[in-house]
Amino acid sequence: MEKLAVIAASPLFEMLSPVELDRLAELARTRHCVPGEVIFHEGDLGDSLFLVVEGQVEVARNGTDGLPRTLAVLSPPEFFGEMGLIDKDYRSATVRARAQAHLLQLTAGDLRAFRNEYADGFTFVVVNIARSLAARLREANARLSSNH
């Protein structure tokens, strides 16, 4: 699948114009991962947002016993890594390819360039990231509540 089609299919970019979508496709890098390949480790400094194009990735975090716990399995058109872009903090989980996976990567620098060219479009993207984070927090709270 071509980069533009993947970006256009992502809910993060649903309000963008065709010109803005084209620019993001130009900025995005393609990453091919083999099964088990680590995309980033818990504790790495966050600097990129990833879109799943093909395959699946697993998000895991070490428990208090030091063993990894799967938090989510993501498939197309889901995305991950956005937290590192927002707060420039260290990754709170490890993400690895569960099977062969193809990803698109947008770095913080890519998004700064996009913001400088398309401020309104960038604002839409940030709002959609915030909506996604709020939804993920609600889901996590619901899971925690059901475990009690």
Side-chain angles (χ1 to χ4, degrees):
M1 183 181 268
E2 72 174 61
K3 290 193 289 184
L4 178 59
V6 171
I7 289 170
S10 172
L12 281 183
F13 309 118
E14 65 188 359
M15 299 294 292
L16 300 184
S17 72
V19 171
E20 292 167 326
L21 292 170
D22 280 340
R23 181 62 177 136
L24 283 175
E26 288 173 12
L27 293 168
R29 291 157 190 74
T30 302
R31 182 164 173 183
H32 302 283
C33 303
V34 297
E37 182 178 336
V38 174
I39 295 139
F40 57 76
H41 288 96
E42 183 175 339
D44 289 351
L45 190 60
D47 73 339
S48 296
L49 165 75
F50 296 88
L51 300 170
V52 182
V53 177
E54 208 175 283
Q56 291 184 323
V57 299
E58 179 178 70
V59 181
R61 185 173 188 175
N62 287 334
T64 55
D65 59 3
L67 298 174
R69 303 279 191 267
T70 299
L71 302 175
V73 176
L74 306 175
S75 302
E78 295 180 285
F79 60 92
F80 61 95
E82 71 281 359
M83 296 281 291
L85 293 176
I86 291 172
D87 56 15
K88 295 183 183 163
D89 205 351
Y90 295 96
R91 302 290 191 184
S92 60
T94 295
V95 178
R96 74 180 70 245
R98 197 167 221 210
Q100 185 169 331
H102 300 273
L103 310 172
L104 289 184
Q105 178 179 2
L106 288 162
T107 67
D110 297 333
L111 292 173
R112 275 192 302 276
F114 182 75
R115 180 196 63 210
N116 293 339
E117 296 170 36
Y118 302 102
D120 289 342
F122 179 79
T123 300
F124 285 129
V125 172
V126 170
V127 167
N128 284 340
I129 287 173
R131 283 184 184 141
S132 172
L133 290 173
R136 288 179 182 179
L137 286 172
R138 281 192 298 276
E139 290 169 10
N141 283 333
R143 280 195 308 275
L144 286 173
S145 295
S146 68
N147 288 337
H148 290 295

